Amino acid sequence: MRSVKLALGVNSRGELYDEHFGDSDFFLIYELREDGTISFLEKRKNRAKLVEEKGHGDPKKFRAIAELLRDVHVFVAGRMGPNYLRVKESGKIPMIVGRKTVEEALEELRFRASELVSAAGGK
């Protein structure tokens, strides 16, 4: 069955981060299968937060996040910052879910599983 990997940006309390994706404390990584089944894979510390930015939306920070999440297809956040277009141009799928809980975001993603797997070219 085809699937994609999702990264949900969360704060230190494990709540969906309601600021820019790149400023999340951690990324919760899930596998989303075409049939809507979701499995938690791991929690990754956002080391990209350590990148010294020359300005808001610095491409260096985007590159650090892209490297950290190179195996992930869909980036999920409460909000995206100026690097939103870079995410799209890199072939990743940015999903803005607003201020929801992780569980609510996963439910929304489960509902759109087939669409997301097809759009990301899941394997």
PDB file of all heavy atoms in Angstrom, residues 27-48:
ATOM      1  N   PHE A  27       9.641  17.913  15.558  1.00  0.00           N
ATOM      2  CA  PHE A  27       8.800  17.436  14.466  1.00  0.00           C
ATOM      3  C   PHE A  27       8.367  16.013  14.798  1.00  0.00           C
ATOM      4  O   PHE A  27       9.209  15.152  15.071  1.00  0.00           O
ATOM      5  CB  PHE A  27       9.548  17.467  13.134  1.00  0.00           C
ATOM      6  CG  PHE A  27       9.970  18.848  12.728  1.00  0.00           C
ATOM      7  CD1 PHE A  27      11.298  19.220  12.755  1.00  0.00           C
ATOM      8  CD2 PHE A  27       9.022  19.789  12.344  1.00  0.00           C
ATOM      9  CE1 PHE A  27      11.686  20.503  12.399  1.00  0.00           C
ATOM     10  CE2 PHE A  27       9.403  21.082  11.987  1.00  0.00           C
ATOM     11  CZ  PHE A  27      10.739  21.433  12.017  1.00  0.00           C
ATOM     12  N   LEU A  28       7.059  15.788  14.819  1.00  0.00           N
ATOM     13  CA  LEU A  28       6.519  14.439  14.989  1.00  0.00           C
ATOM     14  C   LEU A  28       6.380  13.848  13.600  1.00  0.00           C
ATOM     15  O   LEU A  28       5.710  14.425  12.741  1.00  0.00           O
ATOM     16  CB  LEU A  28       5.171  14.476  15.701  1.00  0.00           C
ATOM     17  CG  LEU A  28       5.148  15.142  17.078  1.00  0.00           C
ATOM     18  CD1 LEU A  28       3.728  15.114  17.647  1.00  0.00           C
ATOM     19  CD2 LEU A  28       6.128  14.472  18.026  1.00  0.00           C
ATOM     20  N   ILE A  29       7.003  12.709  13.388  1.00  0.00           N
ATOM     21  CA  ILE A  29       7.007  12.076  12.069  1.00  0.00           C
ATOM     22  C   ILE A  29       6.029  10.900  12.077  1.00  0.00           C
ATOM     23  O   ILE A  29       6.097  10.020  12.947  1.00  0.00           O
ATOM     24  CB  ILE A  29       8.429  11.577  11.697  1.00  0.00           C
ATOM     25  CG1 ILE A  29       9.482  12.676  11.905  1.00  0.00           C
ATOM     26  CG2 ILE A  29       8.438  11.033  10.275  1.00  0.00           C
ATOM     27  CD1 ILE A  29       9.273  13.934  11.098  1.00  0.00           C
ATOM     28  N   TYR A  30       5.137  10.907  11.104  1.00  0.00           N
ATOM     29  CA  TYR A  30       4.129   9.860  10.959  1.00  0.00           C
ATOM     30  C   TYR A  30       4.178   9.299   9.547  1.00  0.00           C
ATOM     31  O   TYR A  30       4.594   9.983   8.615  1.00  0.00           O
ATOM     32  CB  TYR A  30       2.715  10.424  11.180  1.00  0.00           C
ATOM     33  CG  TYR A  30       2.417  10.853  12.587  1.00  0.00           C
ATOM     34  CD1 TYR A  30       2.742  12.130  13.028  1.00  0.00           C
ATOM     35  CD2 TYR A  30       1.797   9.984  13.474  1.00  0.00           C
ATOM     36  CE1 TYR A  30       2.454  12.537  14.325  1.00  0.00           C
ATOM     37  CE2 TYR A  30       1.506  10.387  14.775  1.00  0.00           C
ATOM     38  CZ  TYR A  30       1.841  11.658  15.188  1.00  0.00           C
ATOM     39  OH  TYR A  30       1.556  12.056  16.470  1.00  0.00           O
ATOM     40  N   GLU A  31       3.702   8.072   9.417  1.00  0.00           N
ATOM     41  CA  GLU A  31       3.463   7.500   8.091  1.00  0.00           C
ATOM     42  C   GLU A  31       1.955   7.496   7.881  1.00  0.00           C
ATOM     43  O   GLU A  31       1.200   7.008   8.726  1.00  0.00           O
ATOM     44  CB  GLU A  31       4.005   6.077   7.993  1.00  0.00           C
ATOM     45  CG  GLU A  31       3.732   5.458   6.630  1.00  0.00           C
ATOM     46  CD  GLU A  31       4.213   4.026   6.523  1.00  0.00           C
ATOM     47  OE1 GLU A  31       4.126   3.291   7.533  1.00  0.00           O
ATOM     48  OE2 GLU A  31       4.659   3.647   5.442  1.00  0.00           O
ATOM     49  N   LEU A  32       1.536   8.042   6.754  1.00  0.00           N
ATOM     50  CA  LEU A  32       0.116   8.071   6.376  1.00  0.00           C
ATOM     51  C   LEU A  32      -0.057   7.176   5.160  1.00  0.00           C
ATOM     52  O   LEU A  32       0.564   7.402   4.122  1.00  0.00           O
ATOM     53  CB  LEU A  32      -0.319   9.506   6.043  1.00  0.00           C
ATOM     54  CG  LEU A  32      -1.719   9.689   5.449  1.00  0.00           C
ATOM     55  CD1 LEU A  32      -2.793   9.292   6.457  1.00  0.00           C
ATOM     56  CD2 LEU A  32      -1.912  11.119   4.987  1.00  0.00           C
ATOM     57  N   ARG A  33      -0.873   6.132   5.311  1.00  0.00           N
ATOM     58  CA  ARG A  33      -1.131   5.211   4.206  1.00  0.00           C
ATOM     59  C   ARG A  33      -2.371   5.652   3.439  1.00  0.00           C
ATOM     60  O   ARG A  33      -3.226   6.350   3.957  1.00  0.00           O
ATOM     61  CB  ARG A  33      -1.296   3.798   4.738  1.00  0.00           C
ATOM     62  CG  ARG A  33       0.005   3.219   5.256  1.00  0.00           C
ATOM     63  CD  ARG A  33      -0.170   1.817   5.861  1.00  0.00           C
ATOM     64  NE  ARG A  33       0.871   1.541   6.824  1.00  0.00           N
ATOM     65  CZ  ARG A  33       0.887   1.968   8.086  1.00  0.00           C
ATOM     66  NH1 ARG A  33      -0.106   2.672   8.555  1.00  0.00           N
ATOM     67  NH2 ARG A  33       1.904   1.678   8.887  1.00  0.00           N
ATOM     68  N   GLU A  34      -2.430   5.207   2.228  1.00  0.00           N
ATOM     69  CA  GLU A  34      -3.528   5.566   1.319  1.00  0.00           C
ATOM     70  C   GLU A  34      -4.909   5.282   1.908  1.00  0.00           C
ATOM     71  O   GLU A  34      -5.872   5.979   1.629  1.00  0.00           O
ATOM     72  CB  GLU A  34      -3.331   4.779   0.022  1.00  0.00           C
ATOM     73  CG  GLU A  34      -3.891   5.409  -1.181  1.00  0.00           C
ATOM     74  CD  GLU A  34      -3.383   4.728  -2.447  1.00  0.00           C
ATOM     75  OE1 GLU A  34      -2.892   3.590  -2.394  1.00  0.00           O
ATOM     76  OE2 GLU A  34      -3.490   5.361  -3.494  1.00  0.00           O
ATOM     77  N   ASP A  35      -5.004   4.240   2.754  1.00  0.00           N
ATOM     78  CA  ASP A  35      -6.298   3.883   3.334  1.00  0.00           C
ATOM     79  C   ASP A  35      -6.647   4.715   4.572  1.00  0.00           C
ATOM     80  O   ASP A  35      -7.663   4.484   5.213  1.00  0.00           O
ATOM     81  CB  ASP A  35      -6.337   2.393   3.681  1.00  0.00           C
ATOM     82  CG  ASP A  35      -5.399   2.002   4.815  1.00  0.00           C
ATOM     83  OD1 ASP A  35      -4.635   2.862   5.324  1.00  0.00           O
ATOM     84  OD2 ASP A  35      -5.407   0.810   5.203  1.00  0.00           O
ATOM     85  N   GLY A  36      -5.768   5.683   4.925  1.00  0.00           N
ATOM     86  CA  GLY A  36      -6.026   6.549   6.068  1.00  0.00           C
ATOM     87  C   GLY A  36      -5.393   6.090   7.368  1.00  0.00           C
ATOM     88  O   GLY A  36      -5.499   6.767   8.386  1.00  0.00           O
ATOM     89  N   THR A  37      -4.731   4.959   7.348  1.00  0.00           N
ATOM     90  CA  THR A  37      -4.040   4.470   8.538  1.00  0.00           C
ATOM     91  C   THR A  37      -2.819   5.347   8.807  1.00  0.00           C
ATOM     92  O   THR A  37      -2.062   5.656   7.885  1.00  0.00           O
ATOM     93  CB  THR A  37      -3.578   3.007   8.338  1.00  0.00           C
ATOM     94  OG1 THR A  37      -4.700   2.215   7.957  1.00  0.00           O
ATOM     95  CG2 THR A  37      -2.953   2.454   9.598  1.00  0.00           C
ATOM     96  N   ILE A  38      -2.651   5.729  10.066  1.00  0.00           N
ATOM     97  CA  ILE A  38      -1.523   6.580  10.453  1.00  0.00           C
ATOM     98  C   ILE A  38      -0.720   5.886  11.545  1.00  0.00           C
ATOM     99  O   ILE A  38      -1.298   5.381  12.516  1.00  0.00           O
ATOM    100  CB  ILE A  38      -2.004   7.949  10.964  1.00  0.00           C
ATOM    101  CG1 ILE A  38      -2.752   8.696   9.859  1.00  0.00           C
ATOM    102  CG2 ILE A  38      -0.827   8.787  11.464  1.00  0.00           C
ATOM    103  CD1 ILE A  38      -3.329  10.034  10.283  1.00  0.00           C
ATOM    104  N   SER A  39       0.603   5.887  11.379  1.00  0.00           N
ATOM    105  CA  SER A  39       1.490   5.301  12.382  1.00  0.00           C
ATOM    106  C   SER A  39       2.541   6.322  12.797  1.00  0.00           C
ATOM    107  O   SER A  39       3.159   6.955  11.938  1.00  0.00           O
ATOM    108  CB  SER A  39       2.221   4.079  11.811  1.00  0.00           C
ATOM    109  OG  SER A  39       1.316   3.102  11.381  1.00  0.00           O
ATOM    110  N   PHE A  40       2.736   6.462  14.109  1.00  0.00           N
ATOM    111  CA  PHE A  40       3.788   7.340  14.611  1.00  0.00           C
ATOM    112  C   PHE A  40       5.126   6.654  14.388  1.00  0.00           C
ATOM    113  O   PHE A  40       5.289   5.473  14.686  1.00  0.00           O
ATOM    114  CB  PHE A  40       3.580   7.622  16.106  1.00  0.00           C
ATOM    115  CG  PHE A  40       4.698   8.423  16.708  1.00  0.00           C
ATOM    116  CD1 PHE A  40       4.811   9.777  16.461  1.00  0.00           C
ATOM    117  CD2 PHE A  40       5.646   7.813  17.514  1.00  0.00           C
ATOM    118  CE1 PHE A  40       5.856  10.520  17.006  1.00  0.00           C
ATOM    119  CE2 PHE A  40       6.686   8.541  18.070  1.00  0.00           C
ATOM    120  CZ  PHE A  40       6.793   9.899  17.812  1.00  0.00           C
ATOM    121  N   LEU A  41       6.107   7.394  13.866  1.00  0.00           N
ATOM    122  CA  LEU A  41       7.428   6.839  13.604  1.00  0.00           C
ATOM    123  C   LEU A  41       8.485   7.345  14.584  1.00  0.00           C
ATOM    124  O   LEU A  41       9.245   6.553  15.138  1.00  0.00           O
ATOM    125  CB  LEU A  41       7.872   7.144  12.170  1.00  0.00           C
ATOM    126  CG  LEU A  41       6.972   6.601  11.060  1.00  0.00           C
ATOM    127  CD1 LEU A  41       7.456   7.071   9.691  1.00  0.00           C
ATOM    128  CD2 LEU A  41       6.914   5.080  11.124  1.00  0.00           C
ATOM    129  N   GLU A  42       8.553   8.670  14.765  1.00  0.00           N
ATOM    130  CA  GLU A  42       9.583   9.218  15.647  1.00  0.00           C
ATOM    131  C   GLU A  42       9.351  10.698  15.927  1.00  0.00           C
ATOM    132  O   GLU A  42       8.538  11.357  15.276  1.00  0.00           O
ATOM    133  CB  GLU A  42      10.972   9.043  15.041  1.00  0.00           C
ATOM    134  CG  GLU A  42      11.169   9.824  13.748  1.00  0.00           C
ATOM    135  CD  GLU A  42      12.556   9.662  13.156  1.00  0.00           C
ATOM    136  OE1 GLU A  42      13.539  10.007  13.849  1.00  0.00           O
ATOM    137  OE2 GLU A  42      12.641   9.188  12.008  1.00  0.00           O
ATOM    138  N   LYS A  43      10.101  11.203  16.897  1.00  0.00           N
ATOM    139  CA  LYS A  43      10.105  12.618  17.252  1.00  0.00           C
ATOM    140  C   LYS A  43      11.517  13.138  16.984  1.00  0.00           C
ATOM    141  O   LYS A  43      12.489  12.573  17.482  1.00  0.00           O
ATOM    142  CB  LYS A  43       9.754  12.767  18.730  1.00  0.00           C
ATOM    143  CG  LYS A  43       9.746  14.179  19.244  1.00  0.00           C
ATOM    144  CD  LYS A  43       9.361  14.151  20.734  1.00  0.00           C
ATOM    145  CE  LYS A  43       9.380  15.509  21.352  1.00  0.00           C
ATOM    146  NZ  LYS A  43       8.979  15.442  22.787  1.00  0.00           N
ATOM    147  N   ARG A  44      11.622  14.207  16.173  1.00  0.00           N
ATOM    148  CA  ARG A  44      12.929  14.777  15.834  1.00  0.00           C
ATOM    149  C   ARG A  44      13.052  16.183  16.410  1.00  0.00           C
ATOM    150  O   ARG A  44      12.162  17.007  16.230  1.00  0.00           O
ATOM    151  CB  ARG A  44      13.113  14.874  14.318  1.00  0.00           C
ATOM    152  CG  ARG A  44      13.164  13.543  13.637  1.00  0.00           C
ATOM    153  CD  ARG A  44      13.432  13.696  12.159  1.00  0.00           C
ATOM    154  NE  ARG A  44      13.170  12.429  11.489  1.00  0.00           N
ATOM    155  CZ  ARG A  44      13.107  12.283  10.186  1.00  0.00           C
ATOM    156  NH1 ARG A  44      13.305  13.319   9.386  1.00  0.00           N
ATOM    157  NH2 ARG A  44      12.858  11.093   9.660  1.00  0.00           N
ATOM    158  N   LYS A  45      14.163  16.445  17.066  1.00  0.00           N
ATOM    159  CA  LYS A  45      14.454  17.796  17.569  1.00  0.00           C
ATOM    160  C   LYS A  45      14.761  18.697  16.380  1.00  0.00           C
ATOM    161  O   LYS A  45      15.460  18.307  15.456  1.00  0.00           O
ATOM    162  CB  LYS A  45      15.639  17.755  18.520  1.00  0.00           C
ATOM    163  CG  LYS A  45      15.939  19.096  19.154  1.00  0.00           C
ATOM    164  CD  LYS A  45      16.852  18.925  20.336  1.00  0.00           C
ATOM    165  CE  LYS A  45      17.152  20.244  21.021  1.00  0.00           C
ATOM    166  NZ  LYS A  45      16.005  20.973  21.475  1.00  0.00           N
ATOM    167  N   ASN A  46      14.226  19.894  16.402  1.00  0.00           N
ATOM    168  CA  ASN A  46      14.449  20.848  15.318  1.00  0.00           C
ATOM    169  C   ASN A  46      15.802  21.537  15.513  1.00  0.00           C
ATOM    170  O   ASN A  46      15.893  22.605  16.101  1.00  0.00           O
ATOM    171  CB  ASN A  46      13.324  21.878  15.251  1.00  0.00           C
ATOM    172  CG  ASN A  46      13.513  22.847  14.102  1.00  0.00           C
ATOM    173  OD1 ASN A  46      14.407  22.701  13.282  1.00  0.00           O
ATOM    174  ND2 ASN A  46      12.648  23.843  14.036  1.00  0.00           N
ATOM    175  N   ARG A  47      16.847  20.934  14.996  1.00  0.00           N
ATOM    176  CA  ARG A  47      18.192  21.506  15.084  1.00  0.00           C
ATOM    177  C   ARG A  47      18.318  22.740  14.192  1.00  0.00           C
ATOM    178  O   ARG A  47      19.234  23.536  14.369  1.00  0.00           O
ATOM    179  CB  ARG A  47      19.234  20.456  14.691  1.00  0.00           C
ATOM    180  CG  ARG A  47      19.272  19.266  15.619  1.00  0.00           C
ATOM    181  CD  ARG A  47      20.388  18.301  15.252  1.00  0.00           C
ATOM    182  NE  ARG A  47      20.470  17.991  13.836  1.00  0.00           N
ATOM    183  CZ  ARG A  47      19.855  16.982  13.232  1.00  0.00           C
ATOM    184  NH1 ARG A  47      19.107  16.162  13.935  1.00  0.00           N
ATOM    185  NH2 ARG A  47      19.984  16.779  11.944  1.00  0.00           N
ATOM    186  N   ALA A  48      17.417  22.919  13.247  1.00  0.00           N
ATOM    187  CA  ALA A  48      17.464  24.072  12.350  1.00  0.00           C
ATOM    188  C   ALA A  48      17.212  25.381  13.095  1.00  0.00           C
ATOM    189  O   ALA A  48      17.570  26.450  12.607  1.00  0.00           O
ATOM    190  CB  ALA A  48      16.453  23.907  11.213  1.00  0.00           C
TER     191      ALA A  48
END
